[in-house]
């Protein structure tokens, strides 16, 4: 077993009176692809967002690549460079070209010169198959292309882990494939990935492990074949039955 | 004398206009000086307050909101009079020009702070999250991601408000500022003829029409496809 790169223990998150995470533990090994499924409101996104401290857990511990993410002495901006994140709604900067979207953090956080950043940015756009769209603004790109630019923006910083928060949920069905293609290539390059998604086909042939979350806790986890074919818990079975019906 | 002749003789008397044109022009210069000072300082101060407010320091925000609401609710004329006649009681005696500048600058600051603040808060939360997730700091995110988007949204309301408040330079007449309206009304009482006022009105149109057009241009220039 290769070394653990994400180590979250005893995560709790309260939003006012809402108890969204109820003591979640998650360990992810280097080069592993972990899939998180579960009904909406089950805490999947919150779990993901606690890992790069977009959300501060009410209790618990998060260590990513040896860095204590919740320690106030941690330089969080530096630490976040190692954790790429892709959002459901892409969140590209609408006033910038695709290339500038990718190079902003390279220049401002990683301290690269404009020439270096442009070269790295173009290389990242090549990896997501959008070399010819570098000068386009998000408004001129399809949803699938926007999401691939968002992936390029994250991988250009050479993160150790990539977090995907429902990356294909906002896409028209015919555009989903291109994004999954990029994720598959990323997976093959050895990237550690944590993916919140309901793309079962992708989970089946790319995931090492599937977690099923419900009501703020991990109900069960295991290899995709086991979770999808022979889930141990009734709740998992019901959920999987529901999403497969559609 | 026909009715029409009487009308033009009263309102567009060329002799009177020619005689007072230099006065009106000197008023134009004063109005421009005052307007530029008010616009630059008012908008910069408003932006500074909006940025301070984005730091979300609660007592500071109460103070900002309080100051802004006071200056938004007071008529600018009252502010001018308070500064001009009130400050001498604490041994500060600003000139009419400075009083008008300060008063209108404060009012523009208050309105532009609200406009900038609305712009900043209207930028989607996802923009902050995406930028912060790549390691950009709060300040970098504000500067490179949020402000450029916020400022574009603020241009139309800011242009309108700026024009409305710079026209308020005419209020400077009450504290003896020799701007366009001040020159026009003293010319009117000296000549017993309202033609200089028409001249002054024309000067306002000539001054502000380009600003309105420029605002429209900036608006389209900075629009981007969503």
């Amino acid at each position: 077993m290769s070394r653990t790169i994400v180590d979250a223990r005893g995560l709790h998150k309260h939003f006012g009176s809402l108890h969204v995470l109820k003591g979640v533990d998650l360990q992810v090994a280097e080069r592993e692809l972990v899939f998180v499924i579960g009904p909406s409101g089950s805490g999947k996104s919150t779990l993901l967002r606690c890992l790069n401290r977009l959300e501060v857990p009410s209790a618990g511990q998060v260590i990513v690549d040896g860095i204590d993410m919740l320690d106030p002495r941690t330089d969080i901006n530096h630490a976040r460079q190692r954790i790429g994140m892709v959002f459901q709604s892409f969140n590209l900067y609408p006033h910038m070209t695709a290339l500038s979207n990718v190079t902003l953090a390279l220049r401002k956080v990683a301290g690269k010169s404009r020439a270096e950043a442009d070269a790295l940015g173009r290389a990242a756009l090549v990896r997501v198959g959008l070399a010819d769209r570098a000068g386009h603004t998000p408004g001129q790109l399809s949803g699938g292309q926007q999401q691939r630019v968002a992936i390029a923006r994250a991988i250009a910083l050479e993160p150790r882990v990539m977090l995907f928060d429902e990356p294909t949920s906002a896409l028209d069905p015919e555009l989903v494939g291109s994004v999954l293609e990029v994720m598959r290539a990323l997976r093959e390059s050895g990237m550690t990935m944590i993916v919140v998604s309901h793309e079962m086909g992708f989970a089946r042939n790319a995931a090492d492990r599937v977690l099923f979350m419900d009501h703020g806790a991990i109900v069960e986890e295991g290899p995709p074949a086991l979770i999808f074919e022979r889930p141990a818990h009734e709740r998992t079975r019901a959920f999987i039955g529901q999403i497969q019906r559609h | 004398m026909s009715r029409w002749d009487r009308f033009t003789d009263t309102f567009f008397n060329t002799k009177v206009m020619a005689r007072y044109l230099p006065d009106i022009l000197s008023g134009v210069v004063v109005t421009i000086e005052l307007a530029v000072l008010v616009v630059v300082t008012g908008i910069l101060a408003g932006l500074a307050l909006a940025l301070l407010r984005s730091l979300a320091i609660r007592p500071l925000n109460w103070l900002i909101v309080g100051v802004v609401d006071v200056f938004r609710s007071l008529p600018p004329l009252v502010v001018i009079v308070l500064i001009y006649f009130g400050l001498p009681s604490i041994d500060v005696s600003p000139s009419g020009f400075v009083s008008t500048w300060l008063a209108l600058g404060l009012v523009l600051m208050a309105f532009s702070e609200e406009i900038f603040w609305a712009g900043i808060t209207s930028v989607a939360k996802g923009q902050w999250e995406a930028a912060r997730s790549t390691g950009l700091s709060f300040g970098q995110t504000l500067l490179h991601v949020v402000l450029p988007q916020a400022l574009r949204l603020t241009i139309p309301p800011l242009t309108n408000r700026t024009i409305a408040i710079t026209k308020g330079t005419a209020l400077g007449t009450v504290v003896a500022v020799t701007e366009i309206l001040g020159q026009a009304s003293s010319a009117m009482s000296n000549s017993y003829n309202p033609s200089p006022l028409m001249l002054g009105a024309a000067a306002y149109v000539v001054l502000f029409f380009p600003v309105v057009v420029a605002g429209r241009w900036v608006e389209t220039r900075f629009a981007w496809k969503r």
Side-chain angles (χ1 to χ4, degrees):
Chain A
M1 184 86 178
S2 50
R3 78 188 185 94
T4 301
I5 190 156
V6 173
D7 188 356
R9 287 171 200 269
L11 287 185
H12 284 265
K13 180 65 188 177
H14 297 266
F15 290 113
S17 61
L18 227 59
H19 198 173
V20 183
L21 290 182
K22 299 171 183 164
V24 174
D25 294 313
L26 174 64
Q27 280 78 38
V28 179
E30 221 162 13
R31 305 172 81 92
E32 196 181 11
L33 193 159
V34 174
F35 228 79
V36 185
I37 60 172
S40 80
S42 59
K44 319 175 291 268
S45 289
T46 308
L47 170 62
L48 218 53
R49 295 156 59 85
C50 283
L51 299 180
N52 67 351
R53 214 170 95 184
L54 275 187
E55 222 61 85
V56 180
S58 315
Q61 165 185 289
V62 178
I63 310 271
V64 178
D65 197 21
I67 297 175
D68 185 346
M69 298 298 290
L70 304 179
D71 186 338
R73 286 166 302 181
T74 296
D75 178 353
I76 190 68
N77 298 324
H78 184 73
R80 278 177 179 153
Q81 275 183 268
R82 299 155 176 253
I83 312 171
M85 187 158 195
V86 173
F87 301 85
Q88 180 177 358
S89 49
F90 329 137
N91 299 346
L92 290 184
Y93 315 134
H95 57 300
M96 293 182 187
T97 62
L99 183 62
S100 301
N101 265 276
V102 178
T103 57
L104 181 66
L106 284 170
R107 290 190 289 123
K108 302 298 171 190
V109 186
K112 309 276 186 203
S113 71
R114 184 174 282 274
E116 272 179 291
D118 279 358
L120 291 170
R122 283 182 197 282
L125 286 174
V126 168
R127 285 181 72 184
V128 300
L130 290 174
D132 56 336
R133 294 287 187 274
H136 288 54
T137 57
Q140 299 167 322
L141 300 174
S142 74
Q145 291 171 334
Q146 289 189 53
Q147 193 58 300
R148 281 145 67 198
V149 173
I151 294 173
R153 173 171 68 184
I155 61 175
L157 291 161
E158 296 183 353
R160 305 296 314 278
V161 190
M162 284 284 291
L163 311 176
F164 290 85
D165 190 2
E166 306 211 23
T168 57
S169 303
L171 294 175
D172 290 333
E174 76 272 20
L175 301 177
V176 169
S178 66
V179 171
L180 293 183
E181 203 57 51
V182 168
M183 290 172 65
R184 199 164 283 133
L186 202 55
R187 154 88 176 136
E188 275 152 23
S189 75
M191 179 66 76
T192 309
M193 296 161 71
I194 306 176
V195 183
V196 169
S197 167
H198 293 150
E199 297 292 343
M200 292 302 165
F202 182 74
R204 237 179 257 272
N205 58 41
D208 296 301
R209 191 150 54 107
V210 176
L211 309 183
F212 173 68
M213 282 186 75
D214 197 13
H215 296 299
I218 295 174
V219 176
E220 66 179 305
E221 60 179 286
L226 190 72
I227 299 290
F228 292 141
E229 312 305 339
R230 282 171 286 122
H233 288 259
E234 181 47 43
R235 272 189 288 171
T236 319
R237 206 169 301 139
F239 177 75
I240 287 166
Q242 255 169 9
I243 53 176
Q244 281 175 339
R245 210 172 304 137
H246 298 299
Chain B
M1 221 185 202
S2 74
R3 265 193 206 173
W4 176 247
D5 286 339
R6 213 173 312 146
F7 175 77
T8 53
D9 192 55
T10 308
F11 287 96
F12 298 95
N13 188 316
T14 46
K15 250 188 249 159
V16 175
M17 280 184 169
R19 184 164 164 218
Y20 289 100
L21 184 63
D23 288 354
I24 301 291
L25 287 180
S26 82
V28 167
V29 173
V30 174
T31 296
I32 291 175
E33 286 171 349
L34 198 49
V36 168
L37 282 172
V38 167
V39 170
V40 171
T41 54
I43 287 180
L44 285 182
L47 181 59
L49 284 191
L51 293 181
L52 277 179
R53 192 169 167 189
S54 71
L55 296 177
I57 304 165
R58 207 170 274 181
L60 184 65
N61 284 7
W62 289 333
L63 187 70
I64 292 172
V65 171
V67 168
V68 161
D69 285 354
V70 166
F71 281 111
R72 288 201 304 157
S73 47
L74 284 175
L77 181 61
V78 173
V79 184
I80 293 175
V81 168
L82 278 177
I83 290 176
Y84 186 72
F85 295 104
L87 284 189
S89 62
I90 54 162
D91 288 332
V92 184
S93 304
S95 65
F97 183 88
V98 170
S99 302
T100 311
W101 167 25
L102 268 181
L104 297 180
L106 286 168
V107 174
L108 183 56
M109 171 193 80
F111 279 101
S112 58
E113 188 279 333
E114 280 301 299
I115 292 170
F116 285 128
W117 179 246
I120 290 171
T121 51
S122 72
V123 173
K125 202 166 151 252
Q127 293 286 310
W128 283 97
E129 293 180 344
R132 296 306 306 272
S133 77
T134 62
L136 290 174
S137 68
F138 176 87
Q140 287 173 322
T141 302
L142 192 61
L143 186 66
H144 300 293
V145 176
V146 175
L147 270 188
Q149 300 182 52
L151 293 187
R152 279 162 219 231
L153 297 170
T154 59
I155 285 167
L158 205 56
T159 312
N160 282 331
R161 188 50 71 177
T162 301
I163 291 168
I165 288 170
T166 39
K167 276 190 294 190
T169 49
L171 297 171
T173 41
V174 300
V175 289
V177 179
T178 54
E179 47 65 65
I180 298 174
L181 189 69
Q183 292 287 14
S185 51
S186 57
M188 189 164 68
S189 33
N190 291 335
S191 62
Y192 306 107
N193 185 294
S195 297
L197 197 61
M198 295 297 109
L199 211 51
Y204 277 109
V205 172
V206 171
L207 264 186
F208 286 104
F209 193 69
V211 179
V212 178
V213 173
R216 207 180 289 282
W217 179 79
V218 170
E219 211 174 300
T220 47
R221 169 72 182 72
F222 286 112
W224 71 86
K225 289 190 185 122
R226 278 182 182 274

